[in-house]
Amino acid sequence: MQLKIMPKKKRLSAGRVPLILFLCQMISALDVPLDSKLLDDLVQPPTITQQSPKDYIIDPRENIVIQCEAKGKPPPSFSWTRNGTHFDIDKDPLVTMKAGSGTLIINIMSEGKAETYEGVYQCTARNERGAAISNNIVVRPSRSPLWTKEKLEPLTLRSGQSLVLPCRPPIGLPPAIIFWMDNSFQRLPQSERVSQGLNGDLYFSNVLPEDSREDYICYARFNHTQTIQQKQPISVKVILVDELNDTIAANLSDTEVYGAKSSRERPPTFLTPEGNASNKEELRGNVLSLECIAEGLPTPVIYWIKEDGTLPINRTFYRNFQKTLQIIQVSEADSGKYQCIAKNALGVIHHTISVTVKAAPYWIMAPQNLVLSPGENGSLICRANGNPKPRISWLSNGVPIEIAPDDPSRKINGDTIIFSSVQERSSAVYQCNASNEYGYLLGNAFVNVLAEPPRILTSANTLYQVIANRPALLDCAFFGSPMPIIEWFKGTKGSALREDPYVLHENGTLEIPVAQKDSTGTYTCVARNKLGMAKNEVHLEIKDPTRIVKQPEYAVVQRGSTVSFECKVKHDHTLIPTVTWLKDNGELPSDGRFTIDKDHLVVADVSDNDGGTYTCVANTTLDNVSASAVLSVVAPTPTPAPIYDVPNPPFDLELTDQLDKSVQLSWTPGDDNNSPITKFVIEYEDAMHEAGLWHHQTEVPGTQTTAQLKLSPYVNYSFRVMAENSLGRSLPSEASEQYLTKAAEPDKNPMTVEGLGSEPDNLVITWQPLNGFESNGPGLQYKVSWRQKDGDDEWTSVVVANVSKYIVSGTPTFVPYLIKVQALNDVGFAPEPAVVMGHSGEDLPMVAPGNVHVTVVNSTLAEVHWDPVPLKSVRGHLQGYRIYYWTDQNSSKRNRRHIEKKILTFQGSKTHGMLPGLEPFSHYTLNVRVVNGKGEGPASPDRVFHTPEGVPSAPSSLKIVNPTLDSLTLEWDPPSHPNGILTEYTLKYQPINSTHELGPLVDLKIPANKTRWTLKNLNFSTRYKFYFYAQTSAGSGSQITEEAVTTVDEAGILPPDVGAGKAMASRQVDIATQGWFIGLMCAVALLILILLIVCFIRRNKGGKYPVKEKEDAHADPEIQPMKEDDGTFGEYSDAEDHKPLKKGSRTPSDRTVKKEDSDDSLVDYGEGVNGQFNEDGSFIGQYSGKKEKEPAEGNESSEAPSPVNAMNSFV
């Protein structure tokens, strides 16, 4: 059971206090408060409170004092053991025990030696409740031995060699602190080149001539005895050796020169530690020090890394010019491999140090004192860790528990002792020992069995005075066994204070984090356990804070003038303030020029020394405040022009005449900054409902500093004031104190009341709720009332809260209701509300429209008529009628469920409508349905109607194929929408001459079952335009047009597609009809024929086969048409000149002319194959053979020697 609880803050809820306190009694360390006046009859086992350290090194020149202090009730007696046996102090005249204590004093200053009293001491403190023991205290005297005498030979080195000066101090207790100095007791300078190692030796990475000296002295300081021991001086001489003095160097004997290493530049090597790797072991919590010192020339630089991790940032330090790495508070996690790297310009070396961190035992959970009442249960827990894992052993009253007297209430389970149903004889002191090879821990914890009713130790009727808005702490120190339960009450009645704003601490203290005026009163602390109850009353008074409402202001005055600082203080009327003035945080000068009035400090005849900071300090017994201002003293200057600005904010707001619905607000205006204040603007904040949001309250003239404000009920008001002048409005003042008005009944009802049904059998009543400001009081609710409009029923009412909707179930379908919603709160009702009308929920209409008939207006429009349905059957708000219609044209080809239905909705009560956009020559079906807010009613019987024939759409396609000299063949696809039965096709065509004029129009009728037609006896190489359309009995449809050109001859090239390259085609027709062109072409043909004959003769003479034979061998297939894959012409060409036709040499098969190809010309190509359309529409090809100087190739060939082919081959 707990007796004294650490002040850990917890917010407690109802029912949690007993559980928390019960759990705490099982695990916490407690002390019985030893107040002699209050607890004279309480007993407590001994507790060691003070003892000497485990390793106790003493100064042999002083008396030995071994401490052992303990407390207990009754006071304990003390005894000692030395080296494991009883130490009888009465038999040694030099040993005495301090009165009322177990501390030993051994007087060795008069006689005796400290070494006589070396040993291991242990103190035992015992009373009737048990025995506590101290640690084993190892007492050893300090030692500071002298250096052994030795003869040190002088050392001579070449410049650049390395050097180690050994120190090897004598072993003292505790170890000595080593440092190097000269004969003048000046510390020798150290650097990256010269440094002292952890072992005390002095290391030189390389020596320089300035290192020569005869007084390298190692000192050992023993702090315990305040002595310093000195080693014999070491002499070092450094000589320069170069090519000019090699002879001198050769005369030196080997023994005169230290070391064998070259003085030339060299890579690093380690002076310490040796080798490539070493090991280091350190204990947890100590400082891990790793050292690497290297020699080399130039001087190496040392770096450190951890191979398997990173160095801890906040615990890693570098000493001795980076040569020593230190990690403080080392833990097991710091084990691993550390690498030091030595580097200079000639190389890099590494040394790896494997670090293992061991740990002496350390506490995870030390055993804690346990106070129980008879019959209770408890446990002592002793948990420690270490590396290796420590062994746990228990003692009872200093005796190993295995041989201690048996206790039936005690059960040992490893590191835990469990107590069950303890009795008074179970009281004892238990010791837990956790030990491993690196040390031990010893913890004392008593079990004290007490039965005590609650006692409250805080003085009765204590008065606490606290400043408002600050924490209030009401003490209730207590004791009892079993552990008492603490409760606080305010006043004579009421429930326990558990929830906000109260905080109950475990030590019984009640905290009010932010004390307010209403926190004033009498508080009662009640402590209960099964043995009784105790209570105590304390009183709390909340005082107004002291404020400086008018602060001293910065002042700039001229020498010789007078300055006044104002400091107006407002305070609680029960407190008496004292106002003190300071200058520069010190007292005012004792000068008659400084006078202090009630609220003012006046300084007359100001001098330069009076400049500084003046502070007004207002003190009461509970608080203090201060305000400062700076005084600047200047030389006399002309009067400056006034500064105009917006006013300073008002201050010192105060509320008076506080009534239910009004209050008077007063304030002090700020400086008007040389522009008169015209008005004050007052705003309010409702901290209860809209904290942080300020609203306009009212405005008053600038001559007024008070205002009577009208207030609303149940609002936590704060006010602020802003001043306004001709330059603008000031910043807001500080907010006034809060004022909570009394609650009242609401003065308005909710707005936007509506009644609509969401289901056929309900009525959903909704409204806009009142906000917090409009509620006028706590407990805002709404009285919802309803009845049928046309019935004689009484109003049905229900009261709801925190909602803005209420659902009335079980209503008839679509019935008008009268509805009203009235606000109310804990004070009363709002005025009678207005009545609104609503309807219960709608249901689907029951009846379909009748007498539906259709009038077909034309092939795409029909008019539908129907009779309206009875309004009662609508069962809701009539929204209109909806017509579903669809065509049965293709119903045989697909499932009727997938027929696409079209919908037209006609609003309101219309009984007819038009159906536009119908398809001609189609069978349609339709029905009509009535629509309300719920949905559609049943469909009327289907009505079927037919649309008459219409004119067809244009034929789907028209293509011109197989053009010849005098014929063209047309192919087409029927119209996609015939809109009736096709009767025939009409084809009209006419030629286009060279002047773009249209020739006579030919009209041709074609049967409806045809999709191909050939026109004969046309003019060759002539462009024609075609017009083509279909007809039904309703008339002619839209036409499709196309253009085509008859070819030059049957072996010619297909003309371009119609519609592409029309401009080029027109130019070709124009040239071909010119007489001069025809004559020119004949002459060209004749020339080609002559050239062919000459060519054949030359080939026969050269042994080449004639072209004619080749032509016969290849026959007509070699007269290559355009290739379908790439649109190029197949022609023979020279074996060495296989130049393809240029893109622009022909029109591609898609009958389009690409823009980038239209600019091609013969000039661009020179020799090779080239061709393009001429103006008469023919294709001119050119063949260029080899130059005469080049032999003709055997695979040369030409086109067949017809005039046309010859024209296409040569120019």
Side-chain angles (χ1 to χ4, degrees):
M1 185 211 69
Q2 294 195 133
L3 300 180
K4 175 182 173 185
I5 305 175
M6 300 301 291
K8 180 180 179 182
K9 183 189 293 186
K10 286 190 178 180
R11 294 185 179 272
L12 303 179
S13 58
R16 290 183 61 192
V17 174
L19 175 62
I20 291 175
L21 297 181
F22 175 76
L23 293 176
C24 289
Q25 82 176 32
M26 299 291 292
I27 61 175
S28 296
L30 306 171
D31 292 329
V32 176
L34 299 180
D35 188 321
S36 59
K37 296 181 179 178
L38 298 175
L39 306 175
D40 286 338
D41 54 339
L42 293 181
V43 293
Q44 177 180 337
T47 301
I48 301 291
T49 59
Q50 191 173 1
Q51 56 184 315
S52 293
K54 294 178 181 179
D55 189 7
Y56 186 27
I57 299 174
I58 61 173
D59 188 339
R61 301 169 300 178
E62 298 179 356
N63 289 336
I64 302 173
V65 178
I66 308 176
Q67 288 186 330
C68 180
E69 305 288 343
K71 66 178 181 179
K73 194 72 174 184
S77 60
F78 296 89
S79 62
W80 286 86
T81 62
R82 180 184 175 195
N83 297 327
T85 60
H86 176 67
F87 182 35
D88 191 349
I89 61 175
D90 294 333
K91 294 183 178 180
D92 192 333
L94 300 181
V95 180
T96 58
M97 185 180 295
K98 189 176 178 181
S101 162
T103 298
L104 293 181
I105 300 174
I106 304 176
N107 185 5
I108 61 173
M109 294 184 67
S110 58
E111 57 179 310
K113 294 182 179 180
E115 290 78 4
T116 307
Y117 294 94
E118 281 192 64
V120 180
Y121 293 79
Q122 188 172 44
C123 169
T124 300
R126 187 185 308 273
N127 69 8
E128 62 188 45
R129 287 274 165 159
I133 60 176
S134 71
N135 293 322
N136 286 329
I137 302 171
V138 180
V139 176
R140 295 182 295 170
S142 173
R143 297 181 179 88
S144 52
L146 298 175
W147 248 289
T148 57
K149 291 185 178 181
E150 57 183 333
K151 182 179 180 181
L152 301 177
E153 297 293 337
L155 300 176
T156 302
L157 301 93
R158 295 189 179 98
S159 175
Q161 287 185 281
S162 63
L163 173 65
V164 179
L165 298 182
C167 180
R168 302 189 187 95
I171 299 175
L173 188 67
I177 298 173
I178 306 300
F179 51 93
W180 287 80
M181 295 194 297
D182 58 14
N183 277 330
S184 302
F185 296 98
Q186 298 298 315
R187 284 187 178 269
L188 296 177
Q190 298 189 22
S191 63
E192 289 185 348
R193 188 177 61 84
V194 182
S195 60
Q196 177 182 316
L198 294 177
N199 63 354
D201 292 350
L202 190 62
Y203 292 85
F204 294 77
S205 294
N206 51 77
V207 294
L208 298 175
E210 55 262 32
D211 295 326
S212 297
R213 64 188 312 141
E214 297 179 351
D215 54 352
Y216 284 97
I217 304 174
C218 181
Y219 289 86
R221 183 176 65 205
F222 298 93
N223 284 342
H224 229 75
T225 57
Q226 297 297 311
T227 58
I228 297 178
Q229 305 291 353
Q230 173 183 338
K231 184 183 177 77
Q232 290 293 323
I234 303 175
S235 175
V236 174
K237 183 179 181 181
V238 180
I239 62 174
L240 288 172
V241 180
D242 54 26
E243 295 179 357
L244 298 178
N245 58 12
D246 282 341
T247 304
I248 302 175
N251 293 329
L252 297 175
S253 65
D254 292 341
T255 57
E256 292 176 314
V257 180
Y258 177 89
K261 292 188 179 180
S262 171
S263 60
R264 297 179 180 178
E265 289 189 349
R266 59 191 179 278
T269 57
F270 283 114
L271 297 175
T272 183
E274 297 178 352
N276 296 327
S278 59
N279 298 314
K280 174 75 174 181
E281 187 175 286
E282 191 55 79
L283 289 181
R284 179 181 185 271
N286 289 352
V287 177
L288 172 65
S289 295
L290 304 179
E291 181 181 58
C292 278
I293 300 177
E295 66 89 16
L297 188 64
T299 302
V301 179
I302 304 295
Y303 303 93
W304 291 91
I305 60 171
K306 187 178 182 184
E307 291 185 1
D308 48 355
T310 58
L311 295 171
I313 297 175
N314 297 326
R315 297 186 291 113
T316 301
F317 300 92
Y318 298 97
R319 312 292 186 196
N320 197 20
F321 308 99
Q322 294 275 109
K323 299 175 186 179
T324 302
L325 170 70
Q326 286 189 342
I327 301 178
I328 63 173
Q329 292 296 319
V330 69
S331 66
E332 290 87 338
D334 295 317
S335 296
K337 292 184 177 181
Y338 294 78
Q339 190 176 97
C340 65
I341 304 167
K343 179 180 180 182
N344 69 6
L346 279 76
V348 179
I349 57 172
H350 304 78
H351 183 92
T352 300
I353 305 175
S354 298
V355 174
T356 303
V357 178
K358 299 292 186 177
Y362 57 91
W363 290 121
I364 300 298
M365 180 182 294
Q368 304 292 313
N369 294 334
L370 191 61
V371 179
L372 302 172
S373 61
E376 284 189 327
N377 305 326
S379 63
L380 290 179
I381 301 174
C382 174
R383 288 180 184 158
N385 201 358
N387 186 11
K389 185 76 175 179
R391 185 178 63 87
I392 303 295
S393 60
W394 289 94
L395 298 89
S396 177
N397 295 326
V399 178
I401 204 162
E402 294 80 8
I403 60 176
D406 188 41
D407 183 353
S409 67
R410 179 182 68 208
K411 180 181 179 181
I412 301 173
N413 185 10
D415 59 5
T416 305
I417 302 179
I418 301 173
F419 299 92
S420 304
S421 300
V422 297
Q423 302 301 320
E424 189 171 352
R425 65 176 180 274
S426 301
S427 297
V429 182
Y430 290 87
Q431 290 81 33
C432 170
N433 185 294
S435 60
N436 66 12
E437 59 188 271
Y438 297 104
Y440 72 93
L441 292 173
L442 180 68
N444 288 274
F446 62 68
V447 176
N448 196 14
V449 181
L450 296 173
E452 292 292 332
R455 307 184 188 190
I456 294 179
L457 309 181
T458 300
S459 301
N461 295 313
T462 301
L463 175 63
Y464 295 91
Q465 293 181 328
V466 177
I467 296 296
N469 298 320
R470 294 186 182 179
L473 296 172
L474 309 182
D475 293 332
C476 182
F478 64 92
F479 172 74
S481 179
M483 177 72 170
I485 297 173
I486 302 299
E487 291 182 311
W488 281 90
F489 299 88
K490 183 180 180 183
T492 57
K493 298 180 180 179
S495 58
L497 306 177
R498 295 192 182 97
E499 303 294 343
D500 289 341
Y502 301 99
V503 179
L504 180 60
H505 291 262
E506 292 179 345
N507 63 355
T509 298
L510 178 69
E511 179 182 357
I512 307 173
V514 183
Q516 302 290 340
K517 282 285 189 179
D518 57 4
S519 302
T520 299
T522 298
Y523 292 79
T524 303
C525 170
V526 178
R528 294 187 179 92
N529 69 9
K530 64 182 181 181
L531 300 178
M533 180 193 76
K535 64 180 180 179
N536 184 43
E537 288 186 352
V538 296
H539 307 283
L540 176 63
E541 292 181 356
I542 306 300
K543 306 294 184 180
D544 290 329
T546 305
R547 296 184 296 128
I548 299 178
V549 297
K550 183 66 175 178
Q551 299 184 2
E553 296 180 352
Y554 171 76
V556 179
V557 299
Q558 300 173 6
R559 286 191 295 270
S561 60
T562 299
V563 65
S564 175
F565 292 106
E566 183 178 6
C567 183
K568 188 175 182 181
V569 178
K570 190 173 184 179
H571 59 90
D572 190 283
H573 67 279
T574 63
L575 300 177
I576 301 176
T578 59
V579 177
T580 306
W581 286 91
L582 304 174
K583 180 180 183 296
D584 297 330
N585 294 324
E587 294 183 358
L588 291 176
S590 55
D591 191 329
R593 296 181 298 108
F594 292 82
T595 57
I596 298 176
D597 197 358
K598 179 180 179 183
D599 298 327
H600 293 80
L601 167 65
V602 179
V603 183
D605 192 17
V606 174
S607 66
D608 291 338
N609 293 333
D610 296 332
T613 301
Y614 289 83
T615 304
C616 164
V617 181
N619 290 284
T620 68
T621 55
L622 299 180
D623 65 344
N624 66 83
V625 291
S626 63
S628 300
V630 176
L631 172 63
S632 297
V633 181
V634 297
T637 58
T639 303
I643 298 175
Y644 299 92
D645 201 353
V646 298
N648 291 345
F651 57 92
D652 196 17
L653 275 65
E654 188 171 7
L655 297 177
T656 56
D657 299 337
Q658 298 174 351
L659 303 177
D660 290 348
K661 292 191 175 183
S662 68
V663 70
Q664 179 171 291
L665 174 67
S666 60
W667 61 90
T668 300
D671 195 327
D672 63 7
N673 290 324
N674 302 305
S675 180
I677 296 174
T678 56
K679 66 178 178 181
F680 291 99
V681 180
I682 302 172
E683 294 180 338
Y684 73 90
E685 175 198 28
D686 180 6
M688 182 184 300
H689 304 109
E690 295 179 319
L693 189 61
W694 290 89
H695 303 273
H696 181 80
Q697 173 79 19
T698 188
E699 297 178 1
V700 298
T703 57
Q704 202 171 312
T705 58
T706 61
Q708 195 71 23
L709 306 179
K710 293 183 179 180
L711 308 179
S712 295
Y714 198 57
V715 176
N716 195 8
Y717 281 99
S718 292
F719 299 97
R720 68 183 187 183
V721 183
M722 291 173 285
E724 192 172 301
N725 63 12
S726 60
L727 298 175
R729 184 175 292 183
S730 73
L731 295 174
S733 68
E734 295 291 331
S736 71
E737 62 179 302
Q738 293 184 343
Y739 176 48
L740 177 62
T741 54
K742 291 184 178 180
E745 64 276 0
D747 50 22
K748 62 184 296 186
N749 287 303
M751 306 291 290
T752 321
V753 178
E754 293 182 347
L756 297 172
S758 61
E759 298 294 338
D761 60 349
N762 73 8
L763 171 66
V764 181
I765 302 173
T766 60
W767 61 91
Q768 181 179 337
L770 302 181
N771 59 37
F773 187 83
E774 297 168 334
S775 65
N776 285 3
L780 176 64
Q781 296 177 300
Y782 302 98
K783 180 182 179 183
V784 184
S785 305
W786 68 92
R787 69 178 178 86
Q788 290 191 28
K789 177 184 177 185
D790 301 326
D792 297 329
D793 297 341
E794 295 293 329
W795 288 93
T796 302
S797 300
V798 64
V799 177
V800 295
N802 300 321
V803 295
S804 59
K805 178 175 72 174
Y806 183 76
I807 300 177
V808 181
S809 302
T811 63
T813 302
F814 198 63
V815 173
Y817 276 84
L818 297 180
I819 303 166
K820 57 183 180 180
V821 180
Q822 185 179 21
L824 68 149
N825 60 19
D826 291 350
V827 179
F829 286 84
E832 186 66 21
V835 178
V836 299
M837 190 177 77
H839 284 83
S840 58
E842 300 179 61
D843 205 348
L844 296 176
M846 300 173 59
V847 178
N851 194 23
V852 177
H853 59 276
V854 182
T855 301
V856 177
V857 179
N858 56 38
S859 61
T860 61
L861 181 65
E863 185 175 9
V864 184
H865 291 262
W866 61 88
D867 291 340
V869 299
L871 288 178
K872 288 188 177 181
S873 69
V874 176
R875 301 200 293 178
H877 295 285
L878 176 63
Q879 295 187 355
Y881 291 88
R882 189 168 291 161
I883 299 177
Y884 286 79
Y885 63 99
W886 62 96
T887 177
D888 297 331
Q889 193 171 11
N890 299 318
S891 60
S892 62
K893 298 181 181 179
R894 56 184 178 181
N895 194 312
R896 299 182 66 90
R897 291 181 298 174
H898 300 292
I899 295 175
E900 180 181 358
K901 294 183 178 182
K902 298 182 179 180
I903 304 172
L904 275 180
T905 302
F906 299 91
Q907 303 294 332
S909 57
K910 293 186 67 175
T911 59
H912 65 89
M914 306 297 288
L915 300 182
L918 302 178
E919 296 182 11
F921 200 60
S922 298
H923 298 276
Y924 277 91
T925 304
L926 65 77
N927 57 49
V928 185
R929 312 179 192 206
V930 65
V931 182
N932 65 10
K934 187 70 174 178
E936 301 174 347
S940 68
D942 290 352
R943 291 290 181 266
V944 179
F945 65 96
H946 309 281
T947 54
E949 286 190 78
V951 297
S953 63
S956 299
S957 66
L958 176 62
K959 296 185 291 184
I960 313 299
V961 298
N962 299 331
T964 65
L965 285 172
D966 62 350
S967 68
L968 294 170
T969 299
L970 285 70
E971 291 182 353
W972 64 87
D973 291 325
S976 58
H977 298 284
N979 295 336
I981 300 173
L982 297 181
T983 58
E984 61 183 4
Y985 291 100
T986 298
L987 173 62
K988 297 179 181 181
Y989 63 94
Q990 56 191 149
I992 304 174
N993 63 16
S994 60
T995 59
H996 305 288
E997 294 178 355
L998 299 175
L1001 186 65
V1002 179
D1003 193 337
L1004 180 64
K1005 302 296 184 181
I1006 301 174
N1009 60 349
K1010 299 292 186 181
T1011 59
R1012 181 184 178 95
W1013 196 264
T1014 300
L1015 297 177
K1016 300 181 179 179
N1017 299 320
L1018 301 176
N1019 297 328
F1020 78 93
S1021 190
T1022 302
R1023 177 172 293 279
Y1024 285 88
K1025 185 167 186 177
F1026 299 93
Y1027 311 88
F1028 190 66
Y1029 53 87
Q1031 287 179 293
T1032 64
S1033 60
S1036 301
S1038 302
Q1039 69 179 12
I1040 184 171
T1041 65
E1042 194 59 275
E1043 293 184 13
V1045 181
T1046 56
T1047 61
V1048 177
D1049 59 18
E1050 292 184 0
I1053 299 158
L1054 292 177
D1057 287 345
V1058 176
K1062 291 181 180 179
M1064 183 177 289
S1066 296
R1067 290 195 299 272
Q1068 291 168 346
V1069 173
D1070 292 343
I1071 297 172
T1073 57
Q1074 302 299 314
W1076 64 268
F1077 181 73
I1078 294 173
L1080 176 62
M1081 295 305 295
C1082 290
V1084 170
L1086 180 59
L1087 178 60
I1088 292 173
L1089 181 60
I1090 296 172
L1091 291 174
L1092 283 174
I1093 294 171
V1094 173
C1095 181
F1096 292 158
I1097 295 172
R1098 292 184 63 188
R1099 287 193 177 184
N1100 289 333
K1101 290 181 178 182
K1104 305 295 183 180
Y1105 61 87
V1107 176
K1108 176 59 178 170
E1109 293 177 7
K1110 179 180 177 183
E1111 179 181 321
D1112 292 340
H1114 291 281
D1116 282 348
E1118 290 301 319
I1119 304 175
Q1120 304 258 343
M1122 290 196 307
K1123 295 181 181 178
E1124 294 181 0
D1125 55 349
D1126 60 359
T1128 62
F1129 292 95
E1131 294 188 29
Y1132 292 109
S1133 64
D1134 290 344
E1136 296 180 1
D1137 196 13
H1138 292 285
K1139 295 183 179 177
L1141 294 173
K1142 285 204 67 175
K1143 295 180 180 178
S1145 65
R1146 55 177 176 78
T1147 304
S1149 61
D1150 60 1
R1151 307 180 78 177
T1152 62
V1153 179
K1154 297 183 180 179
K1155 181 179 179 181
E1156 65 268 25
D1157 300 336
S1158 62
D1159 296 331
D1160 291 346
S1161 68
L1162 298 175
V1163 179
D1164 297 330
Y1165 293 90
E1167 293 183 342
V1169 179
N1170 187 19
Q1172 66 178 16
F1173 282 109
N1174 207 341
E1175 293 181 13
D1176 63 352
S1178 63
F1179 182 84
I1180 301 175
Q1182 177 179 335
Y1183 176 83
S1184 296
K1186 297 281 182 184
K1187 296 181 181 179
E1188 293 184 1
K1189 294 182 180 180
E1190 299 175 357
E1193 295 296 327
N1195 61 351
E1196 281 187 327
S1197 65
S1198 65
E1199 296 290 341
S1202 67
V1204 175
N1205 288 338
M1207 180 184 68
N1208 288 335
S1209 301
F1210 296 96
V1211 176

